[in-house]
Amino acid sequence: MPKVNRRKKFDYNKDRKKLRKQFKKKEAPRIENSQIRHAWDHNKSVFRNMQDMGLAVDPNRTLPIQKQGILTAGGETKAPKSIVTKPYVLNQLEEEASRPEKDPKTLSTDLIEYVQHMIREHKEDHKAMARDEKNYYQDTPKQIRRKINEYKRCHPQHYAAFLESLASQPQVSS
């Protein structure tokens, strides 16, 4: 008997958006931290994995807030101690957290040149900077001041060297 090719019909009773969300939930989430990802055991639960690494899943359960009461005034309750089988994860995380973080913010070379030109030509006179012909974007004195402060903050050594070079140059009177 030959196969009959039936036309596919759209099922109006199925919510495609909800189905897509369900499939996404079933996929395993990606662990962003590399130390935790490499030490993760997919056969264990989240709680057990974190406990093995010496990390807390729920800080409220790890360090519970003691309620003041008549019964608990005399005796202290102790949290059960867990055995950390993967202490290297905790050590790596602590080492990574103790490293100083660099400020990734930097300025474009055009903006640096613009600020240097303004300082070279007008020193600290922001109103004169606003009237300068190189002020293509018609920045106000306050905007120019902000850009100069941003340059000082992002490149302090560069700014200090620039000021030294200005100071060493002979003053030309107009």
Side-chain angles (χ1 to χ4, degrees), residues 46-73:
V46 174
F47 182 78
R48 187 69 193 154
N49 268 309
M50 298 295 263
Q51 193 177 31
D52 287 349
M53 292 180 219
L55 302 173
V57 176
D58 185 9
N60 294 325
R61 285 180 62 191
T62 307
L63 299 169
I65 298 171
Q66 299 295 324
K67 292 184 179 179
Q68 294 295 327
I70 300 170
L71 298 175
T72 60

PDB file of all heavy atoms in Angstrom, residues 46-73:
ATOM      1  N   VAL A  46      23.608  19.830  43.097  1.00  0.00           N
ATOM      2  CA  VAL A  46      24.226  21.150  43.221  1.00  0.00           C
ATOM      3  C   VAL A  46      24.719  21.353  44.647  1.00  0.00           C
ATOM      4  O   VAL A  46      25.854  21.802  44.872  1.00  0.00           O
ATOM      5  CB  VAL A  46      23.212  22.261  42.846  1.00  0.00           C
ATOM      6  CG1 VAL A  46      23.786  23.633  43.109  1.00  0.00           C
ATOM      7  CG2 VAL A  46      22.795  22.132  41.397  1.00  0.00           C
ATOM      8  N   PHE A  47      23.896  21.020  45.616  1.00  0.00           N
ATOM      9  CA  PHE A  47      24.247  21.199  47.021  1.00  0.00           C
ATOM     10  C   PHE A  47      25.503  20.393  47.367  1.00  0.00           C
ATOM     11  O   PHE A  47      26.416  20.898  48.017  1.00  0.00           O
ATOM     12  CB  PHE A  47      23.079  20.785  47.920  1.00  0.00           C
ATOM     13  CG  PHE A  47      23.348  20.974  49.375  1.00  0.00           C
ATOM     14  CD1 PHE A  47      23.267  22.232  49.947  1.00  0.00           C
ATOM     15  CD2 PHE A  47      23.716  19.903  50.181  1.00  0.00           C
ATOM     16  CE1 PHE A  47      23.527  22.414  51.300  1.00  0.00           C
ATOM     17  CE2 PHE A  47      23.989  20.071  51.519  1.00  0.00           C
ATOM     18  CZ  PHE A  47      23.894  21.336  52.076  1.00  0.00           C
ATOM     19  N   ARG A  48      25.558  19.152  46.913  1.00  0.00           N
ATOM     20  CA  ARG A  48      26.689  18.283  47.233  1.00  0.00           C
ATOM     21  C   ARG A  48      27.976  18.782  46.554  1.00  0.00           C
ATOM     22  O   ARG A  48      29.054  18.776  47.142  1.00  0.00           O
ATOM     23  CB  ARG A  48      26.379  16.846  46.789  1.00  0.00           C
ATOM     24  CG  ARG A  48      27.400  15.853  47.216  1.00  0.00           C
ATOM     25  CD  ARG A  48      27.368  15.656  48.712  1.00  0.00           C
ATOM     26  NE  ARG A  48      28.573  14.938  49.099  1.00  0.00           N
ATOM     27  CZ  ARG A  48      29.128  15.005  50.274  1.00  0.00           C
ATOM     28  NH1 ARG A  48      28.590  15.728  51.220  1.00  0.00           N
ATOM     29  NH2 ARG A  48      30.215  14.338  50.537  1.00  0.00           N
ATOM     30  N   ASN A  49      27.862  19.227  45.287  1.00  0.00           N
ATOM     31  CA  ASN A  49      29.018  19.769  44.578  1.00  0.00           C
ATOM     32  C   ASN A  49      29.581  20.986  45.306  1.00  0.00           C
ATOM     33  O   ASN A  49      30.796  21.086  45.517  1.00  0.00           O
ATOM     34  CB  ASN A  49      28.628  20.177  43.153  1.00  0.00           C
ATOM     35  CG  ASN A  49      28.850  19.075  42.154  1.00  0.00           C
ATOM     36  OD1 ASN A  49      29.920  18.493  42.087  1.00  0.00           O
ATOM     37  ND2 ASN A  49      27.823  18.774  41.375  1.00  0.00           N
ATOM     38  N   MET A  50      28.720  21.897  45.674  1.00  0.00           N
ATOM     39  CA  MET A  50      29.163  23.118  46.345  1.00  0.00           C
ATOM     40  C   MET A  50      29.757  22.795  47.720  1.00  0.00           C
ATOM     41  O   MET A  50      30.732  23.412  48.136  1.00  0.00           O
ATOM     42  CB  MET A  50      28.008  24.114  46.482  1.00  0.00           C
ATOM     43  CG  MET A  50      27.446  24.568  45.154  1.00  0.00           C
ATOM     44  SD  MET A  50      28.603  25.509  44.199  1.00  0.00           S
ATOM     45  CE  MET A  50      28.092  27.130  44.608  1.00  0.00           C
ATOM     46  N   GLN A  51      29.174  21.842  48.397  1.00  0.00           N
ATOM     47  CA  GLN A  51      29.680  21.444  49.712  1.00  0.00           C
ATOM     48  C   GLN A  51      31.070  20.829  49.590  1.00  0.00           C
ATOM     49  O   GLN A  51      31.956  21.102  50.411  1.00  0.00           O
ATOM     50  CB  GLN A  51      28.713  20.434  50.336  1.00  0.00           C
ATOM     51  CG  GLN A  51      28.937  20.185  51.800  1.00  0.00           C
ATOM     52  CD  GLN A  51      27.901  19.231  52.353  1.00  0.00           C
ATOM     53  OE1 GLN A  51      27.416  18.354  51.627  1.00  0.00           O
ATOM     54  NE2 GLN A  51      27.550  19.398  53.610  1.00  0.00           N
ATOM     55  N   ASP A  52      31.297  20.036  48.560  1.00  0.00           N
ATOM     56  CA  ASP A  52      32.615  19.440  48.332  1.00  0.00           C
ATOM     57  C   ASP A  52      33.672  20.505  48.044  1.00  0.00           C
ATOM     58  O   ASP A  52      34.842  20.335  48.371  1.00  0.00           O
ATOM     59  CB  ASP A  52      32.566  18.454  47.162  1.00  0.00           C
ATOM     60  CG  ASP A  52      31.855  17.161  47.527  1.00  0.00           C
ATOM     61  OD1 ASP A  52      31.591  16.959  48.727  1.00  0.00           O
ATOM     62  OD2 ASP A  52      31.551  16.375  46.602  1.00  0.00           O
ATOM     63  N   MET A  53      33.263  21.589  47.415  1.00  0.00           N
ATOM     64  CA  MET A  53      34.205  22.665  47.084  1.00  0.00           C
ATOM     65  C   MET A  53      34.393  23.651  48.232  1.00  0.00           C
ATOM     66  O   MET A  53      35.247  24.526  48.160  1.00  0.00           O
ATOM     67  CB  MET A  53      33.701  23.426  45.850  1.00  0.00           C
ATOM     68  CG  MET A  53      33.730  22.628  44.581  1.00  0.00           C
ATOM     69  SD  MET A  53      33.126  23.607  43.241  1.00  0.00           S
ATOM     70  CE  MET A  53      32.196  22.426  42.326  1.00  0.00           C
ATOM     71  N   GLY A  54      33.571  23.525  49.273  1.00  0.00           N
ATOM     72  CA  GLY A  54      33.678  24.439  50.410  1.00  0.00           C
ATOM     73  C   GLY A  54      32.931  25.736  50.187  1.00  0.00           C
ATOM     74  O   GLY A  54      33.227  26.749  50.827  1.00  0.00           O
ATOM     75  N   LEU A  55      31.962  25.741  49.263  1.00  0.00           N
ATOM     76  CA  LEU A  55      31.176  26.935  48.951  1.00  0.00           C
ATOM     77  C   LEU A  55      29.765  26.778  49.490  1.00  0.00           C
ATOM     78  O   LEU A  55      29.308  25.664  49.764  1.00  0.00           O
ATOM     79  CB  LEU A  55      31.131  27.148  47.429  1.00  0.00           C
ATOM     80  CG  LEU A  55      32.493  27.296  46.747  1.00  0.00           C
ATOM     81  CD1 LEU A  55      32.314  27.318  45.246  1.00  0.00           C
ATOM     82  CD2 LEU A  55      33.183  28.552  47.220  1.00  0.00           C
ATOM     83  N   ALA A  56      29.072  27.887  49.633  1.00  0.00           N
ATOM     84  CA  ALA A  56      27.722  27.866  50.179  1.00  0.00           C
ATOM     85  C   ALA A  56      26.708  28.049  49.062  1.00  0.00           C
ATOM     86  O   ALA A  56      26.849  28.934  48.229  1.00  0.00           O
ATOM     87  CB  ALA A  56      27.548  28.973  51.199  1.00  0.00           C
ATOM     88  N   VAL A  57      25.693  27.201  49.048  1.00  0.00           N
ATOM     89  CA  VAL A  57      24.597  27.364  48.105  1.00  0.00           C
ATOM     90  C   VAL A  57      23.639  28.405  48.640  1.00  0.00           C
ATOM     91  O   VAL A  57      23.251  29.337  47.944  1.00  0.00           O
ATOM     92  CB  VAL A  57      23.855  26.026  47.879  1.00  0.00           C
ATOM     93  CG1 VAL A  57      22.662  26.210  46.971  1.00  0.00           C
ATOM     94  CG2 VAL A  57      24.793  24.997  47.309  1.00  0.00           C
ATOM     95  N   ASP A  58      23.270  28.254  49.887  1.00  0.00           N
ATOM     96  CA  ASP A  58      22.336  29.174  50.537  1.00  0.00           C
ATOM     97  C   ASP A  58      23.022  29.770  51.768  1.00  0.00           C
ATOM     98  O   ASP A  58      23.211  29.083  52.760  1.00  0.00           O
ATOM     99  CB  ASP A  58      21.064  28.422  50.943  1.00  0.00           C
ATOM    100  CG  ASP A  58      20.007  29.334  51.511  1.00  0.00           C
ATOM    101  OD1 ASP A  58      20.172  30.572  51.441  1.00  0.00           O
ATOM    102  OD2 ASP A  58      18.983  28.820  52.021  1.00  0.00           O
ATOM    103  N   PRO A  59      23.393  31.053  51.725  1.00  0.00           N
ATOM    104  CA  PRO A  59      24.092  31.640  52.875  1.00  0.00           C
ATOM    105  C   PRO A  59      23.226  31.684  54.129  1.00  0.00           C
ATOM    106  O   PRO A  59      23.747  31.678  55.243  1.00  0.00           O
ATOM    107  CB  PRO A  59      24.452  33.048  52.405  1.00  0.00           C
ATOM    108  CG  PRO A  59      23.573  33.323  51.250  1.00  0.00           C
ATOM    109  CD  PRO A  59      23.242  32.011  50.635  1.00  0.00           C
ATOM    110  N   ASN A  60      21.907  31.684  53.964  1.00  0.00           N
ATOM    111  CA  ASN A  60      21.031  31.704  55.136  1.00  0.00           C
ATOM    112  C   ASN A  60      21.088  30.375  55.892  1.00  0.00           C
ATOM    113  O   ASN A  60      20.925  30.350  57.106  1.00  0.00           O
ATOM    114  CB  ASN A  60      19.593  32.008  54.716  1.00  0.00           C
ATOM    115  CG  ASN A  60      19.462  33.404  54.171  1.00  0.00           C
ATOM    116  OD1 ASN A  60      20.132  34.321  54.622  1.00  0.00           O
ATOM    117  ND2 ASN A  60      18.625  33.568  53.162  1.00  0.00           N
ATOM    118  N   ARG A  61      21.311  29.302  55.174  1.00  0.00           N
ATOM    119  CA  ARG A  61      21.438  28.005  55.846  1.00  0.00           C
ATOM    120  C   ARG A  61      22.854  27.808  56.403  1.00  0.00           C
ATOM    121  O   ARG A  61      23.044  27.139  57.414  1.00  0.00           O
ATOM    122  CB  ARG A  61      21.118  26.875  54.877  1.00  0.00           C
ATOM    123  CG  ARG A  61      19.628  26.751  54.619  1.00  0.00           C
ATOM    124  CD  ARG A  61      19.311  25.640  53.668  1.00  0.00           C
ATOM    125  NE  ARG A  61      19.708  24.341  54.188  1.00  0.00           N
ATOM    126  CZ  ARG A  61      19.734  23.244  53.454  1.00  0.00           C
ATOM    127  NH1 ARG A  61      19.399  23.293  52.184  1.00  0.00           N
ATOM    128  NH2 ARG A  61      20.103  22.101  53.975  1.00  0.00           N
ATOM    129  N   THR A  62      23.842  28.399  55.736  1.00  0.00           N
ATOM    130  CA  THR A  62      25.227  28.244  56.175  1.00  0.00           C
ATOM    131  C   THR A  62      25.493  29.025  57.451  1.00  0.00           C
ATOM    132  O   THR A  62      26.099  28.521  58.386  1.00  0.00           O
ATOM    133  CB  THR A  62      26.192  28.718  55.073  1.00  0.00           C
ATOM    134  OG1 THR A  62      25.853  28.045  53.867  1.00  0.00           O
ATOM    135  CG2 THR A  62      27.620  28.399  55.428  1.00  0.00           C
ATOM    136  N   LEU A  63      25.066  30.277  57.467  1.00  0.00           N
ATOM    137  CA  LEU A  63      25.232  31.141  58.638  1.00  0.00           C
ATOM    138  C   LEU A  63      23.857  31.632  59.096  1.00  0.00           C
ATOM    139  O   LEU A  63      23.460  32.755  58.800  1.00  0.00           O
ATOM    140  CB  LEU A  63      26.113  32.344  58.294  1.00  0.00           C
ATOM    141  CG  LEU A  63      27.528  32.029  57.840  1.00  0.00           C
ATOM    142  CD1 LEU A  63      28.184  33.261  57.286  1.00  0.00           C
ATOM    143  CD2 LEU A  63      28.326  31.482  58.998  1.00  0.00           C
ATOM    144  N   PRO A  64      23.125  30.796  59.815  1.00  0.00           N
ATOM    145  CA  PRO A  64      21.777  31.210  60.222  1.00  0.00           C
ATOM    146  C   PRO A  64      21.821  32.327  61.262  1.00  0.00           C
ATOM    147  O   PRO A  64      22.752  32.407  62.064  1.00  0.00           O
ATOM    148  CB  PRO A  64      21.167  29.930  60.808  1.00  0.00           C
ATOM    149  CG  PRO A  64      22.334  29.119  61.225  1.00  0.00           C
ATOM    150  CD  PRO A  64      23.453  29.467  60.296  1.00  0.00           C
ATOM    151  N   ILE A  65      20.830  33.190  61.229  1.00  0.00           N
ATOM    152  CA  ILE A  65      20.727  34.281  62.199  1.00  0.00           C
ATOM    153  C   ILE A  65      20.146  33.702  63.473  1.00  0.00           C
ATOM    154  O   ILE A  65      19.086  33.067  63.467  1.00  0.00           O
ATOM    155  CB  ILE A  65      19.822  35.407  61.652  1.00  0.00           C
ATOM    156  CG1 ILE A  65      20.443  35.986  60.387  1.00  0.00           C
ATOM    157  CG2 ILE A  65      19.608  36.480  62.692  1.00  0.00           C
ATOM    158  CD1 ILE A  65      19.546  36.944  59.645  1.00  0.00           C
ATOM    159  N   GLN A  66      20.862  33.911  64.575  1.00  0.00           N
ATOM    160  CA  GLN A  66      20.418  33.384  65.859  1.00  0.00           C
ATOM    161  C   GLN A  66      19.322  34.283  66.427  1.00  0.00           C
ATOM    162  O   GLN A  66      19.491  35.496  66.524  1.00  0.00           O
ATOM    163  CB  GLN A  66      21.594  33.327  66.841  1.00  0.00           C
ATOM    164  CG  GLN A  66      22.727  32.424  66.385  1.00  0.00           C
ATOM    165  CD  GLN A  66      22.305  30.969  66.323  1.00  0.00           C
ATOM    166  OE1 GLN A  66      21.519  30.511  67.144  1.00  0.00           O
ATOM    167  NE2 GLN A  66      22.832  30.265  65.335  1.00  0.00           N
ATOM    168  N   LYS A  67      18.195  33.676  66.773  1.00  0.00           N
ATOM    169  CA  LYS A  67      17.104  34.438  67.368  1.00  0.00           C
ATOM    170  C   LYS A  67      17.282  34.463  68.873  1.00  0.00           C
ATOM    171  O   LYS A  67      17.615  33.444  69.494  1.00  0.00           O
ATOM    172  CB  LYS A  67      15.757  33.796  67.015  1.00  0.00           C
ATOM    173  CG  LYS A  67      15.435  33.903  65.552  1.00  0.00           C
ATOM    174  CD  LYS A  67      14.068  33.344  65.275  1.00  0.00           C
ATOM    175  CE  LYS A  67      13.750  33.473  63.802  1.00  0.00           C
ATOM    176  NZ  LYS A  67      12.452  32.916  63.476  1.00  0.00           N
ATOM    177  N   GLN A  68      17.094  35.635  69.438  1.00  0.00           N
ATOM    178  CA  GLN A  68      17.194  35.773  70.883  1.00  0.00           C
ATOM    179  C   GLN A  68      15.908  35.258  71.519  1.00  0.00           C
ATOM    180  O   GLN A  68      14.814  35.667  71.165  1.00  0.00           O
ATOM    181  CB  GLN A  68      17.412  37.238  71.265  1.00  0.00           C
ATOM    182  CG  GLN A  68      18.741  37.796  70.805  1.00  0.00           C
ATOM    183  CD  GLN A  68      19.910  37.115  71.481  1.00  0.00           C
ATOM    184  OE1 GLN A  68      19.829  36.705  72.627  1.00  0.00           O
ATOM    185  NE2 GLN A  68      21.005  36.990  70.734  1.00  0.00           N
ATOM    186  N   GLY A  69      16.046  34.356  72.432  1.00  0.00           N
ATOM    187  CA  GLY A  69      14.882  33.797  73.093  1.00  0.00           C
ATOM    188  C   GLY A  69      15.255  33.233  74.436  1.00  0.00           C
ATOM    189  O   GLY A  69      16.424  33.195  74.831  1.00  0.00           O
ATOM    190  N   ILE A  70      14.266  32.781  75.157  1.00  0.00           N
ATOM    191  CA  ILE A  70      14.493  32.231  76.483  1.00  0.00           C
ATOM    192  C   ILE A  70      15.229  30.888  76.386  1.00  0.00           C
ATOM    193  O   ILE A  70      16.142  30.614  77.152  1.00  0.00           O
ATOM    194  CB  ILE A  70      13.151  32.046  77.221  1.00  0.00           C
ATOM    195  CG1 ILE A  70      12.462  33.386  77.357  1.00  0.00           C
ATOM    196  CG2 ILE A  70      13.357  31.404  78.582  1.00  0.00           C
ATOM    197  CD1 ILE A  70      11.039  33.296  77.838  1.00  0.00           C
ATOM    198  N   LEU A  71      14.852  30.068  75.416  1.00  0.00           N
ATOM    199  CA  LEU A  71      15.435  28.731  75.322  1.00  0.00           C
ATOM    200  C   LEU A  71      16.872  28.754  74.793  1.00  0.00           C
ATOM    201  O   LEU A  71      17.702  27.949  75.207  1.00  0.00           O
ATOM    202  CB  LEU A  71      14.576  27.848  74.412  1.00  0.00           C
ATOM    203  CG  LEU A  71      13.144  27.624  74.888  1.00  0.00           C
ATOM    204  CD1 LEU A  71      12.367  26.848  73.850  1.00  0.00           C
ATOM    205  CD2 LEU A  71      13.142  26.874  76.217  1.00  0.00           C
ATOM    206  N   THR A  72      17.197  29.657  73.863  1.00  0.00           N
ATOM    207  CA  THR A  72      18.530  29.650  73.249  1.00  0.00           C
ATOM    208  C   THR A  72      19.507  30.582  73.947  1.00  0.00           C
ATOM    209  O   THR A  72      20.621  30.743  73.478  1.00  0.00           O
ATOM    210  CB  THR A  72      18.433  30.049  71.760  1.00  0.00           C
ATOM    211  OG1 THR A  72      17.871  31.358  71.680  1.00  0.00           O
ATOM    212  CG2 THR A  72      17.615  29.067  70.973  1.00  0.00           C
ATOM    213  N   ALA A  73      19.112  31.180  75.069  1.00  0.00           N
ATOM    214  CA  ALA A  73      20.000  32.138  75.735  1.00  0.00           C
ATOM    215  C   ALA A  73      21.233  31.448  76.309  1.00  0.00           C
ATOM    216  O   ALA A  73      22.324  31.993  76.258  1.00  0.00           O
ATOM    217  CB  ALA A  73      19.247  32.860  76.843  1.00  0.00           C
TER     218      ALA A  73
END
